[in-house]
Amino acid sequence: MPHIIEMIDIIKDFPGIRANDRVTLQVEQGSIHALLGENGAGKSTLMSILFGLYQPDSGIIRVRGKEVAIHDPNVANELGIGMVHQHFQLVHNFTVTENIILGIEPRKGLVIDRKSAAARVRKISELYGLNVDPEAIIENISVGMQQRVEILKMLYRDAEILIFDEPTAVLTPQEIHELMHIMRRLVQEGKTVLLITHKLKEIKEVADQCTVLRRGKYIGTVPVAETSEARMAEMMVGREVNFHVQKKPAEPGDVLLRIECLNVRNPKGLLGVKNLSLEVRRGEILGVCGIDGNGQTELVQAITGLTPVESGKILLKGMDIAHVSVKERFSCGLGHIPEDRHKHGLVLDFRLDENLVVHNYNRKPFAQGFVLDFKSIRTNANRLIAEFDVRCGQGPATPTRSMSGGNQQKAIVAREIDLSPEVFIVAQPTRGLDVGAIEYIHTRIIAERDKGKAILLLSLELDEVLDVSDRIAVIYGGEIVGLVNASETDENELGLMMSGSIRKAV
Ligand SMILES: Nc1ncnc2c1ncn2[C@@H]1O[C@H](COP(=O)(O)OP(=O)(O)OP(=O)(O)O)[C@@H](O)[C@H]1O
Ligand SMILES: [Mg+2]
């Protein structure tokens, strides 16, 4: 098979860091090629170079055997290269078709020919089994569907090489399954797929080849069918990885968080959480699992005070906090790792050290009266950077926006775990993290448990819920339909409860 893409000896420097250090990537036409590497290894940078968003400092790029200079994304488009970004770039009150033809509207005389555009969208959608309604308004369709619109946008522009940067991070297991199917369809039709993912299972499932990067360097390219997950993990991290965390049985104490008959409305005005009750004890981790959109977000937002409570109680160490301010809740011992790192987690325009003290910059040791103590703010950042292995080019002074997605996530997790709250609401803590980082974060969450904290863990990753939790509550349609011991259940049983097929309480 000829190489449709060749990137040879690519170097890309950013302030304080060589993001790509003589990286080579050779991609066969008609294959699915995975890109694997730790957070900050340089995967997104390499793909941004291929898509013309960054210029390499040196190196050669060949597309279909011909050397090219990809000055900007327009050149990439002309070469048939398309990219689906992690944050979709869709206009929410436009239809699917309007979004797809944006910027390249087909015309009949002076009027835009929406009809023929819609027909073409429908045809492409059918060919690849995308199942997208060309007339639907973006804000009314699911995240998974929005992603397909982005895929359609590339196909509509005749892209031959499709780059996906962590496409499954925001999808439900069902949607992931469907996306894998779509990718296979794409290569059957002669397209080439480049896939960045941290999930080895996904690589095993769909990819033909896998290229591994570590700290900006090229480690190797392996045929996926002949390489184990453990081997790929080892290549990327440089050591063996424990996929399952070690933990002692829980020693639960008194109840620190008790939720009684909670009702919460969702943005549509319907009850997202219905008459929900649960309790979390000191020294235990209660995992909550469910298919995305079954009330998890409303539950977290109600506990942390981001959404008003319709009725019911939230008792923190016996005190009802259901109607007190966010600030008061946190001063009573509540802590929170938010699921949306951009909305509630980080201020991207701040420096890393500033983001690491957003909760306590006005207190000792970070402030003396009204005066900030920059030295202790920096020391704090250096300590967390080392403990959590946050990769950042310029240390404490790194602009947060310039950090890789996974390292931004590590920064939030570091900040919140370090506060060591008594009642800890942990939502999607390892989204976008590499396997090594996941291993470490899990260990730290369990260490908090063993210090006697009460932890409520929400995750869409079943493996994570099963591995880390002591007990598991299953949420379906805003209600708890199952409550089981983690050691006495499995993916199958959880799946049945998550789809509302069975109920169970021990
Ligand atoms: N625009 C930028 N300015 C400065 N530094 C940058 C910029 N983009 C990336 N970097 C740095 O380059 C390095 C590689 O980042 P990149 O985003 O490519 O990593 P990644 O492999 O995609 O990681 P992740 O798995 O966390 O997404 C990181 O250390 C990051 O801080
Ligand atoms: Mg990335």
Side-chain angles (χ1 to χ4, degrees):
M1 275 282 174
H3 291 137
I4 189 162
I5 298 283
E6 285 178 284
M7 299 179 83
I8 316 270
D9 281 340
I10 300 291
I11 293 182
K12 178 68 189 170
D13 286 327
F14 287 120
I17 196 153
R18 179 155 284 185
N20 287 159
D21 189 0
R22 300 182 69 98
V23 173
T24 287
L25 175 71
Q26 293 180 303
V27 182
E28 283 176 17
Q29 166 136 31
S31 70
I32 300 182
H33 197 114
L35 208 51
L36 179 70
E38 288 175 293
N39 297 123
K43 306 176 296 292
S44 296
T45 302
L46 190 69
M47 289 302 101
S48 297
I49 291 172
L50 185 59
F51 190 57
L53 292 167
Y54 294 140
Q55 296 307 304
D57 295 312
S58 68
I60 294 172
I61 303 176
R62 283 195 282 265
V63 177
R64 300 179 194 87
K66 195 169 154 263
E67 190 170 332
V68 291
I70 308 177
H71 295 297
D72 57 53
N74 290 326
V75 178
N77 277 329
E78 281 161 27
L79 290 166
I81 301 170
M83 185 159 177
V84 173
H85 296 274
Q86 258 175 9
H87 297 275
F88 307 146
Q89 293 156 349
L90 299 170
V91 185
H92 277 220
N93 53 351
F94 277 23
T95 66
V96 167
T97 301
E98 284 166 344
N99 267 283
I100 290 170
I101 62 177
L102 200 65
I104 52 162
E105 289 86 352
R107 289 177 193 277
K108 243 190 197 163
L110 283 176
V111 286
I112 294 175
D113 186 2
R114 279 220 180 75
K115 231 172 152 185
S116 71
R120 178 145 180 252
V121 169
R122 186 164 279 127
K123 207 173 132 215
I124 302 174
S125 169
E126 273 166 21
L127 176 62
Y128 295 97
L130 295 170
N131 215 1
V132 172
D133 171 9
E135 309 298 339
I137 309 279
I138 297 298
E139 60 196 4
N140 297 334
I141 62 179
S142 69
V143 171
M145 273 294 166
Q146 292 182 17
Q147 184 177 62
R148 292 184 195 187
V149 177
E150 290 279 6
I151 298 173
L152 263 172
K153 223 162 119 185
M154 294 194 286
L155 296 170
Y156 192 89
R157 287 162 177 71
D158 295 320
E160 292 288 324
I161 300 144
L162 298 98
I163 305 170
F164 292 86
D165 192 347
E166 292 187 49
T168 61
V170 291
L171 300 184
T172 64
Q174 178 60 28
E175 287 171 332
I176 292 174
H177 186 72
E178 288 164 11
L179 178 65
M180 301 286 137
H181 188 73
I182 291 167
M183 287 185 177
R184 280 199 212 98
R185 252 331 265 144
L186 288 167
V187 293
Q188 273 167 18
E189 294 295 325
K191 309 282 182 190
T192 303
V193 171
L194 272 157
L195 168 67
I196 299 180
T197 177
H198 289 293
K199 297 179 189 162
L200 295 160
K201 254 193 211 164
E202 291 170 6
I203 295 181
K204 267 300 208 192
E205 197 183 326
V206 291
D208 302 298
Q209 308 280 323
C210 176
T211 289
V212 183
L213 303 184
R214 192 194 312 152
R215 292 183 183 259
K217 290 199 167 67
Y218 173 76
I219 301 298
T221 300
V222 292
V224 172
E226 289 142 46
T227 316
S228 68
E229 290 184 28
R231 174 70 193 126
M232 286 191 274
E234 199 184 322
M235 280 176 79
M236 75 180 259
V237 183
R239 61 172 170 88
E240 253 181 67
V241 178
N242 290 318
F243 289 96
H244 295 286
V245 273
Q246 307 292 324
K247 66 178 209 269
K248 301 184 305 218
E251 290 171 20
D254 45 332
V255 175
L256 290 186
L257 176 69
R258 171 174 282 133
I259 293 171
E260 287 178 6
C261 306
L262 188 69
N263 286 291
V264 186
R265 288 196 187 277
N266 62 21
K268 289 191 184 128
L270 308 170
L271 281 184
V273 171
K274 285 181 216 150
N275 213 15
L276 183 147
S277 299
L278 50 82
E279 47 180 56
V280 192
R281 293 173 177 272
R282 186 184 289 290
E284 77 162 348
I285 301 173
L286 176 68
V288 175
C289 69
I291 296 169
D292 198 16
N294 274 275
Q296 299 93 319
T297 305
E298 288 83 3
L299 174 63
V300 171
Q301 296 200 338
I303 299 173
T304 53
L306 296 169
T307 296
V309 165
E310 177 87 6
S311 64
K313 286 186 182 158
I314 301 170
L315 300 161
L316 192 89
K317 291 182 278 176
M319 187 185 111
D320 190 3
I321 56 160
H323 302 284
V324 309
S325 72
V326 174
K327 214 171 153 195
E328 232 171 303
R329 296 180 199 210
F330 285 82
S331 59
C332 291
L334 189 70
H336 176 212
I337 295 178
E339 67 175 322
D340 186 333
R341 63 178 171 241
H342 289 157
K343 248 196 233 153
H344 306 295
L346 294 170
V347 187
L348 291 181
D349 290 323
F350 283 10
R351 292 159 37 136
L352 173 58
D353 56 358
E354 294 167 336
N355 264 306
L356 290 173
V357 293
V358 289
H359 298 308
N360 43 12
Y361 66 92
N362 53 0
R363 289 199 292 273
K364 277 187 177 169
F366 306 123
Q368 313 285 342
F370 289 113
V371 187
L372 292 182
D373 182 341
F374 290 106
K375 197 165 156 234
S376 59
I377 291 177
R378 241 184 350 258
T379 309
N380 175 67
N382 275 321
R383 178 176 60 83
L384 292 177
I385 288 170
E387 260 181 52
F388 287 82
D389 191 19
V390 182
R391 310 265 169 96
C392 46
Q394 297 161 83
T398 305
T400 309
R401 188 182 296 283
S402 79
M403 291 165 56
S404 80
N407 281 296
Q408 291 179 6
Q409 176 72 8
K410 281 198 217 171
I412 297 178
V413 173
R415 179 182 75 200
E416 301 301 329
I417 290 184
D418 194 51
L419 290 174
S420 195
E422 261 191 295
V423 174
F424 199 9
I425 315 299
V426 176
Q428 320 300 343
T430 59
R431 189 176 267 176
L433 295 191
D434 66 59
V435 287
I438 291 175
E439 180 189 3
Y440 181 70
I441 300 297
H442 285 171
T443 313
R444 288 292 302 251
I445 293 174
I446 290 162
E448 287 303 304
R449 176 199 79 168
D450 293 342
K451 278 191 224 162
K453 316 290 177 174
I455 295 162
L456 185 69
L457 167 72
L458 292 100
S459 175
L460 293 172
E461 297 290 333
L462 270 191
D463 289 345
E464 173 162 85
V465 174
L466 274 165
D467 242 29
V468 179
S469 319
D470 301 305
R471 292 188 302 136
I472 298 174
V474 183
I475 192 167
Y476 172 72
E479 296 177 81
I480 300 295
V481 296
L483 195 59
V484 290
N485 290 322
S487 56
E488 292 162 10
T489 188
D490 57 27
E491 264 183 52
N492 272 335
E493 189 182 61
L494 292 177
L496 287 171
M497 291 190 273
M498 285 162 63
S499 60
S501 309
I502 58 166
R503 284 175 177 252
K504 187 176 174 187
V506 291

PDB file of all heavy atoms in Angstrom, residues 394-412:
ATOM      1  N   GLN A 394       6.299  26.189  30.468  1.00  0.00           N
ATOM      2  CA  GLN A 394       6.937  27.265  31.217  1.00  0.00           C
ATOM      3  C   GLN A 394       6.658  27.194  32.713  1.00  0.00           C
ATOM      4  O   GLN A 394       6.606  28.215  33.390  1.00  0.00           O
ATOM      5  CB  GLN A 394       6.466  28.608  30.651  1.00  0.00           C
ATOM      6  CG  GLN A 394       6.879  28.792  29.198  1.00  0.00           C
ATOM      7  CD  GLN A 394       6.044  29.868  28.518  1.00  0.00           C
ATOM      8  OE1 GLN A 394       6.325  31.048  28.624  1.00  0.00           O
ATOM      9  NE2 GLN A 394       4.996  29.466  27.833  1.00  0.00           N
ATOM     10  N   GLY A 395       6.471  26.000  33.217  1.00  0.00           N
ATOM     11  CA  GLY A 395       6.266  25.838  34.656  1.00  0.00           C
ATOM     12  C   GLY A 395       5.064  26.618  35.144  1.00  0.00           C
ATOM     13  O   GLY A 395       4.070  26.746  34.422  1.00  0.00           O
ATOM     14  N   PRO A 396       5.135  27.186  36.360  1.00  0.00           N
ATOM     15  CA  PRO A 396       3.997  27.905  36.938  1.00  0.00           C
ATOM     16  C   PRO A 396       3.477  29.029  36.047  1.00  0.00           C
ATOM     17  O   PRO A 396       2.299  29.363  36.096  1.00  0.00           O
ATOM     18  CB  PRO A 396       4.566  28.479  38.241  1.00  0.00           C
ATOM     19  CG  PRO A 396       5.694  27.582  38.586  1.00  0.00           C
ATOM     20  CD  PRO A 396       6.269  27.114  37.300  1.00  0.00           C
ATOM     21  N   ALA A 397       4.358  29.612  35.222  1.00  0.00           N
ATOM     22  CA  ALA A 397       3.960  30.763  34.406  1.00  0.00           C
ATOM     23  C   ALA A 397       3.284  30.361  33.094  1.00  0.00           C
ATOM     24  O   ALA A 397       2.892  31.205  32.304  1.00  0.00           O
ATOM     25  CB  ALA A 397       5.179  31.625  34.110  1.00  0.00           C
ATOM     26  N   THR A 398       3.134  29.077  32.834  1.00  0.00           N
ATOM     27  CA  THR A 398       2.557  28.626  31.559  1.00  0.00           C
ATOM     28  C   THR A 398       1.145  29.192  31.368  1.00  0.00           C
ATOM     29  O   THR A 398       0.309  29.084  32.271  1.00  0.00           O
ATOM     30  CB  THR A 398       2.469  27.092  31.523  1.00  0.00           C
ATOM     31  OG1 THR A 398       3.761  26.555  31.772  1.00  0.00           O
ATOM     32  CG2 THR A 398       1.967  26.596  30.180  1.00  0.00           C
ATOM     33  N   PRO A 399       0.876  29.795  30.212  1.00  0.00           N
ATOM     34  CA  PRO A 399      -0.506  30.217  29.950  1.00  0.00           C
ATOM     35  C   PRO A 399      -1.382  28.963  29.859  1.00  0.00           C
ATOM     36  O   PRO A 399      -1.066  28.055  29.098  1.00  0.00           O
ATOM     37  CB  PRO A 399      -0.428  30.914  28.596  1.00  0.00           C
ATOM     38  CG  PRO A 399       1.033  31.120  28.314  1.00  0.00           C
ATOM     39  CD  PRO A 399       1.784  30.100  29.094  1.00  0.00           C
ATOM     40  N   THR A 400      -2.454  28.924  30.620  1.00  0.00           N
ATOM     41  CA  THR A 400      -3.270  27.705  30.692  1.00  0.00           C
ATOM     42  C   THR A 400      -3.801  27.300  29.318  1.00  0.00           C
ATOM     43  O   THR A 400      -3.894  26.131  28.992  1.00  0.00           O
ATOM     44  CB  THR A 400      -4.415  27.918  31.685  1.00  0.00           C
ATOM     45  OG1 THR A 400      -3.854  28.410  32.894  1.00  0.00           O
ATOM     46  CG2 THR A 400      -5.145  26.628  31.964  1.00  0.00           C
ATOM     47  N   ARG A 401      -4.134  28.297  28.512  1.00  0.00           N
ATOM     48  CA  ARG A 401      -4.689  28.015  27.183  1.00  0.00           C
ATOM     49  C   ARG A 401      -3.733  27.188  26.326  1.00  0.00           C
ATOM     50  O   ARG A 401      -4.155  26.404  25.481  1.00  0.00           O
ATOM     51  CB  ARG A 401      -5.009  29.338  26.487  1.00  0.00           C
ATOM     52  CG  ARG A 401      -5.769  29.205  25.190  1.00  0.00           C
ATOM     53  CD  ARG A 401      -6.006  30.568  24.552  1.00  0.00           C
ATOM     54  NE  ARG A 401      -6.854  31.437  25.367  1.00  0.00           N
ATOM     55  CZ  ARG A 401      -8.167  31.306  25.453  1.00  0.00           C
ATOM     56  NH1 ARG A 401      -8.779  30.372  24.782  1.00  0.00           N
ATOM     57  NH2 ARG A 401      -8.874  32.123  26.204  1.00  0.00           N
ATOM     58  N   SER A 402      -2.420  27.372  26.537  1.00  0.00           N
ATOM     59  CA  SER A 402      -1.453  26.691  25.671  1.00  0.00           C
ATOM     60  C   SER A 402      -1.218  25.238  26.092  1.00  0.00           C
ATOM     61  O   SER A 402      -0.549  24.494  25.391  1.00  0.00           O
ATOM     62  CB  SER A 402      -0.126  27.445  25.684  1.00  0.00           C
ATOM     63  OG  SER A 402       0.604  27.135  26.868  1.00  0.00           O
ATOM     64  N   MET A 403      -1.763  24.826  27.245  1.00  0.00           N
ATOM     65  CA  MET A 403      -1.512  23.461  27.708  1.00  0.00           C
ATOM     66  C   MET A 403      -2.348  22.453  26.926  1.00  0.00           C
ATOM     67  O   MET A 403      -3.423  22.771  26.451  1.00  0.00           O
ATOM     68  CB  MET A 403      -1.826  23.344  29.203  1.00  0.00           C
ATOM     69  CG  MET A 403      -0.832  24.110  30.055  1.00  0.00           C
ATOM     70  SD  MET A 403      -1.383  24.363  31.737  1.00  0.00           S
ATOM     71  CE  MET A 403      -1.687  22.705  32.274  1.00  0.00           C
ATOM     72  N   SER A 404      -1.851  21.223  26.833  1.00  0.00           N
ATOM     73  CA  SER A 404      -2.613  20.189  26.124  1.00  0.00           C
ATOM     74  C   SER A 404      -3.865  19.878  26.928  1.00  0.00           C
ATOM     75  O   SER A 404      -3.922  20.124  28.143  1.00  0.00           O
ATOM     76  CB  SER A 404      -1.771  18.937  25.947  1.00  0.00           C
ATOM     77  OG  SER A 404      -1.746  18.168  27.134  1.00  0.00           O
ATOM     78  N   GLY A 405      -4.887  19.336  26.237  1.00  0.00           N
ATOM     79  CA  GLY A 405      -6.171  19.068  26.879  1.00  0.00           C
ATOM     80  C   GLY A 405      -6.025  18.253  28.157  1.00  0.00           C
ATOM     81  O   GLY A 405      -6.589  18.586  29.204  1.00  0.00           O
ATOM     82  N   GLY A 406      -5.258  17.184  28.082  1.00  0.00           N
ATOM     83  CA  GLY A 406      -5.107  16.307  29.228  1.00  0.00           C
ATOM     84  C   GLY A 406      -4.388  16.985  30.392  1.00  0.00           C
ATOM     85  O   GLY A 406      -4.695  16.735  31.555  1.00  0.00           O
ATOM     86  N   ASN A 407      -3.449  17.849  30.071  1.00  0.00           N
ATOM     87  CA  ASN A 407      -2.728  18.536  31.142  1.00  0.00           C
ATOM     88  C   ASN A 407      -3.583  19.609  31.806  1.00  0.00           C
ATOM     89  O   ASN A 407      -3.441  19.868  32.994  1.00  0.00           O
ATOM     90  CB  ASN A 407      -1.396  19.078  30.632  1.00  0.00           C
ATOM     91  CG  ASN A 407      -0.371  17.966  30.547  1.00  0.00           C
ATOM     92  OD1 ASN A 407       0.014  17.389  31.554  1.00  0.00           O
ATOM     93  ND2 ASN A 407       0.004  17.597  29.327  1.00  0.00           N
ATOM     94  N   GLN A 408      -4.502  20.193  31.068  1.00  0.00           N
ATOM     95  CA  GLN A 408      -5.473  21.097  31.691  1.00  0.00           C
ATOM     96  C   GLN A 408      -6.322  20.308  32.687  1.00  0.00           C
ATOM     97  O   GLN A 408      -6.579  20.749  33.807  1.00  0.00           O
ATOM     98  CB  GLN A 408      -6.380  21.735  30.641  1.00  0.00           C
ATOM     99  CG  GLN A 408      -5.653  22.721  29.739  1.00  0.00           C
ATOM    100  CD  GLN A 408      -6.562  23.319  28.686  1.00  0.00           C
ATOM    101  OE1 GLN A 408      -7.777  23.099  28.671  1.00  0.00           O
ATOM    102  NE2 GLN A 408      -5.990  24.084  27.778  1.00  0.00           N
ATOM    103  N   GLN A 409      -6.754  19.132  32.272  1.00  0.00           N
ATOM    104  CA  GLN A 409      -7.552  18.276  33.144  1.00  0.00           C
ATOM    105  C   GLN A 409      -6.765  17.902  34.403  1.00  0.00           C
ATOM    106  O   GLN A 409      -7.286  17.953  35.518  1.00  0.00           O
ATOM    107  CB  GLN A 409      -7.985  17.026  32.377  1.00  0.00           C
ATOM    108  CG  GLN A 409      -8.750  15.994  33.187  1.00  0.00           C
ATOM    109  CD  GLN A 409     -10.163  16.438  33.521  1.00  0.00           C
ATOM    110  OE1 GLN A 409     -10.639  17.453  33.029  1.00  0.00           O
ATOM    111  NE2 GLN A 409     -10.835  15.692  34.379  1.00  0.00           N
ATOM    112  N   LYS A 410      -5.487  17.542  34.218  1.00  0.00           N
ATOM    113  CA  LYS A 410      -4.665  17.181  35.380  1.00  0.00           C
ATOM    114  C   LYS A 410      -4.575  18.358  36.355  1.00  0.00           C
ATOM    115  O   LYS A 410      -4.548  18.161  37.571  1.00  0.00           O
ATOM    116  CB  LYS A 410      -3.250  16.811  34.936  1.00  0.00           C
ATOM    117  CG  LYS A 410      -3.101  15.424  34.372  1.00  0.00           C
ATOM    118  CD  LYS A 410      -1.599  15.071  34.408  1.00  0.00           C
ATOM    119  CE  LYS A 410      -1.188  14.271  33.206  1.00  0.00           C
ATOM    120  NZ  LYS A 410       0.275  14.119  33.123  1.00  0.00           N
ATOM    121  N   ALA A 411      -4.492  19.578  35.817  1.00  0.00           N
ATOM    122  CA  ALA A 411      -4.361  20.758  36.680  1.00  0.00           C
ATOM    123  C   ALA A 411      -5.602  20.925  37.569  1.00  0.00           C
ATOM    124  O   ALA A 411      -5.480  21.173  38.770  1.00  0.00           O
ATOM    125  CB  ALA A 411      -4.140  22.005  35.830  1.00  0.00           C
ATOM    126  N   ILE A 412      -6.782  20.748  36.998  1.00  0.00           N
ATOM    127  CA  ILE A 412      -8.015  20.870  37.803  1.00  0.00           C
ATOM    128  C   ILE A 412      -8.052  19.793  38.867  1.00  0.00           C
ATOM    129  O   ILE A 412      -8.334  20.059  40.038  1.00  0.00           O
ATOM    130  CB  ILE A 412      -9.279  20.666  36.937  1.00  0.00           C
ATOM    131  CG1 ILE A 412      -9.376  21.727  35.878  1.00  0.00           C
ATOM    132  CG2 ILE A 412     -10.526  20.657  37.810  1.00  0.00           C
ATOM    133  CD1 ILE A 412     -10.567  21.537  34.989  1.00  0.00           C
TER     134      ILE A 412
END
